Amino acid sequence: MASLGPHATFIVAAYGAAVVILAALIAWIVLDHRAQQRALGELEKRGVTRRSGRPA
Amino acid sequence: MSALTAIFMRDLRLAVRVGGGAGIGVLFFLIVVVLAPFAIGPDLALLARIGPAILWLGALLASLLTLDRLIAADAEDGSLDLILTGRTPLELAVAAKALAHWLTTGLPLAIATPLFGLLMNLDMQASFAVALTLLAGTPALTFLGLLGAALAVTLRRGGLLLTVLILPLTVPVLIFGVAASNAAVTGSVPFAMPFTILCALTLASLVIGTFAAAASLRHGME
Amino acid sequence: MPLIDLANPTRFLKLSGLLLPWLAGAATIALAVGLYLAGNAPDDYQQGATVKIMFIHVPSAWLAMAIWGMMSLAALGTLVWRHPLADVAAKAATPIGAAFTLICLLTGSLWGRPMWGTYWVWDARLTSVLILFLMYLGVMALWRSVDDPSRAGRAAAILTLVGAINLPIIKFSVDWWNTLHQPASVVRIAGPAIHPTILVPLLVMALAFVLIFVTLHLAAMRNEILRRRVRTLMMIEAQAAPGRG
């Protein structure tokens, strides 16, 4: 990597902040997906279905 | 036309009788103005410099915070259903309501401003300049708030949520209102320039607020 | 017609499930290429290596505005065509838009520290983005405070459209306010004309950010469809529950 000059801390911090925010976003989406799948699975196990029938 | 007049007169009467909200806005405005020196300190020169800004902030909060019951009350007593099913265009009906509300809360704020300006150590000319900008600018706040009042019905929520939703939209009005007031005090910019833009913002808000509020009520009451 | 096909949430789930791995792969590759190019880009003669912050700051600023535009289109879809996926798209895009706006603000502030000597100046562009961020948070608060999705969807759609009309006015006002209070003496971010050695990595990074957004947005839309399914099923279950006369 090329030298980042006298303000390296700020450049690294900026990239770090972007990484942290994006990682939080991805983690939220993945965890949310798991939670919804789990809730859906539990409901189906209990025999609750939609009126429009089972998914194809 | 007579239906519109009826809505307008009814809202005026409801606002000024016991239980109506007229007057409380001015009281809130006065309290904000009185609190400011406690936060900033009684430095008269400083107060005169930031006076227009304090007056505008107080008026902004006073005119938005009084709005959340404007349409919700009608939804509760059933008169909103009559307005929705009536032949009067919904846009005009909500505009009449907003106008009545402005007359009972926005206009008193502008009228009280020269008096409250004394507390901020503003001279006569500056006080009247602020009052004039409030006279031109508060309709914009009322009609932007009208959208908030309509959303309050759709969402069945009120209070802080609506204030949070509407306040960012009032940034241009605040900028040009305070700029026009300061222009009248310091004369660094010609008064007419920010003031005409403020009037333009008010006219735009009349249209946007009315149509958005009507659309929100139509879509929300299905 | 694909748009009509997509109106069926089940079909949308199937199609987006097939598409998602490819999009994620493309986003990763574009990001890797973009980061490589950005790492090798020459320093700016004025701003030195801090110009590297631009490669994430500017694309996220573009996205912050573009996502609001996309939400406005979805809002039209909700109000005019009543497309069943429109408010799902709008809701899923909101937190992602807020996240990119936050990235833009944070990187701008971290860029401002060495350039301006302070983390925050009321620069016209930063201030406009800050207000955009507040509006994103407002729409998120709206979605969070109302539990009926279609009711919240229509209110959010109207608010999004009014916001879209207001954003240029806010931008204009803030620019005007800024020139009134501080004449152009500050170093302006991305002020001078951009040289191709910087423009190419910037565009690749922008492409990567767009792909990241599309991937995350599709995934979030899938979550939202599943969430609504769970909600419907729970309501059916509650209605069918015995002992409630």
Side-chain angles (χ1 to χ4, degrees):
Chain A
M1 201 162 202
S3 81
L4 291 175
H7 303 302
T9 348
F10 295 105
I11 300 169
V12 172
Y15 277 80
V19 168
V20 167
I21 293 170
L22 279 182
L25 201 58
I26 292 169
W28 168 66
I29 287 173
V30 170
L31 291 179
D32 191 28
H33 187 72
R34 284 202 196 136
Q36 301 308 328
Q37 289 283 23
R38 197 174 332 116
L40 212 54
E42 272 168 21
L43 281 163
E44 264 163 24
K45 225 189 301 170
R46 273 182 274 165
V48 189
T49 48
R50 291 183 301 153
R51 261 164 301 193
S52 58
R54 295 163 189 290
Chain B
M1 199 56 211
S2 64
L4 275 185
T5 326
I7 293 174
F8 179 70
M9 292 309 291
R10 169 181 169 273
D11 270 41
L12 275 188
R13 264 187 233 117
L14 281 178
V16 294
R17 59 153 217 194
V18 177
I24 198 100
V26 179
L27 186 58
F28 177 85
F29 185 31
L30 174 61
I31 289 174
V32 171
V33 172
V34 170
L35 282 182
F38 292 119
I40 297 156
D43 178 354
L44 286 182
L46 179 64
L47 283 179
R49 199 159 65 80
I50 61 172
I54 301 286
L55 288 169
W56 253 94
L57 271 179
L60 174 74
L61 293 176
S63 52
L64 283 187
L65 289 175
T66 48
L67 262 164
D68 65 332
R69 297 286 301 155
L70 179 61
I71 301 180
D74 281 359
E76 278 160 22
D77 67 15
S79 45
L80 180 63
D81 294 323
L82 291 178
I83 295 174
L84 276 168
T85 51
R87 269 188 300 167
T88 319
L90 185 57
E91 283 80 4
L92 290 180
V94 292
K97 287 184 69 65
L99 189 62
H101 184 270
W102 178 75
L103 279 179
T104 50
T105 54
L107 187 59
L109 294 180
I111 293 173
T113 300
L115 197 61
F116 296 175
L118 295 176
L119 296 175
M120 289 279 115
N121 191 31
L122 292 182
D123 59 26
M124 265 303 143
Q125 190 210 354
S127 288
F128 278 104
V130 178
L132 186 62
T133 56
L134 279 179
L135 190 66
T138 43
L141 303 177
T142 304
F143 277 82
L144 284 175
L146 178 66
L147 169 62
L151 287 177
V153 175
T154 317
L155 297 171
R156 299 185 183 141
R157 289 286 185 289
L160 221 48
L161 173 66
L162 297 167
T163 319
V164 163
L165 295 179
I166 298 301
L167 275 179
L169 304 177
T170 61
V171 167
V173 182
L174 185 65
I175 287 177
F176 286 102
V178 175
S181 313
N182 282 333
V185 178
T186 61
S188 56
V189 191
F191 175 72
M193 207 261 273
F195 187 71
T196 42
I197 297 177
L198 179 67
C199 294
L201 287 174
T202 299
L203 293 177
S205 308
L206 291 184
V207 179
I208 296 171
T210 308
F211 277 89
S216 156
L217 288 176
R218 272 209 198 93
H219 286 281
M221 300 314 275
E222 283 166 2
Chain C
M1 284 286 102
L3 206 64
I4 295 173
D5 276 358
L6 285 177
N8 182 335
T10 310
R11 215 167 294 164
F12 174 83
L13 280 181
K14 216 167 148 189
L15 195 69
S16 60
L18 287 175
L19 217 56
L20 213 47
W22 294 98
L23 277 171
T28 316
I29 292 170
L31 187 64
V33 174
L35 283 176
Y36 173 75
L37 289 176
N40 288 336
D43 290 352
D44 186 80
Y45 72 98
Q46 252 185 334
Q47 310 189 8
T50 54
V51 79
K52 293 213 177 348
I53 297 178
M54 186 183 71
F55 298 120
I56 44 176
H57 174 75
V58 172
S60 47
W62 285 341
L63 260 188
M65 288 181 281
I67 292 174
W68 194 281
M70 198 227 83
M71 283 164 59
S72 311
L73 287 183
L76 281 180
T78 303
L79 296 176
V80 181
W81 298 292
R82 301 178 181 240
H83 194 282
L85 284 177
D87 66 338
V88 172
K91 184 181 178 186
T94 313
I96 307 176
F100 279 110
T101 317
L102 184 62
I103 291 179
C104 176
L105 284 174
L106 284 181
T107 53
S109 159
L110 284 167
W111 195 358
R113 184 68 180 82
M115 288 299 107
W116 295 322
T118 170
Y119 283 106
W120 186 267
V121 291
W122 290 89
D123 166 72
R125 272 184 249 197
L126 275 177
T127 308
S128 300
V129 173
L130 179 62
I131 293 168
L132 179 64
F133 183 59
L134 294 179
M135 286 166 66
Y136 271 119
L137 291 185
V139 177
M140 277 170 75
L142 192 160
W143 278 109
R144 281 191 60 84
S145 55
V146 178
D147 61 348
D148 176 2
S150 65
R151 188 175 279 277
R154 287 186 292 243
I158 287 172
L159 193 72
T160 309
L161 284 178
V162 172
I165 297 171
N166 262 285
L167 276 173
I169 303 178
I170 293 175
K171 181 86 179 68
F172 161 76
S173 315
V174 170
D175 281 348
W176 187 86
W177 167 81
N178 191 249
T179 51
L180 186 72
H181 286 273
Q182 38 180 220
S185 61
V186 260
V187 182
R188 311 210 59 166
I189 285 181
I194 301 175
H195 197 266
T197 48
I198 284 177
L199 185 64
V200 172
L202 182 63
L203 289 180
V204 176
M205 281 301 274
L207 175 72
F209 270 49
V210 169
L211 284 171
I212 291 172
F213 164 68
V214 174
T215 312
L216 294 179
H217 187 220
L218 267 191
M221 277 178 78
R222 288 164 58 82
N223 288 351
E224 184 56 28
I225 292 172
L226 292 181
R227 190 186 344 272
R228 290 187 187 188
R229 222 166 246 190
V230 168
R231 185 171 182 272
T232 322
L233 288 179
M234 284 173 94
M235 282 162 81
I236 291 173
E237 190 187 29
Q239 272 175 353
R244 291 213 49 192

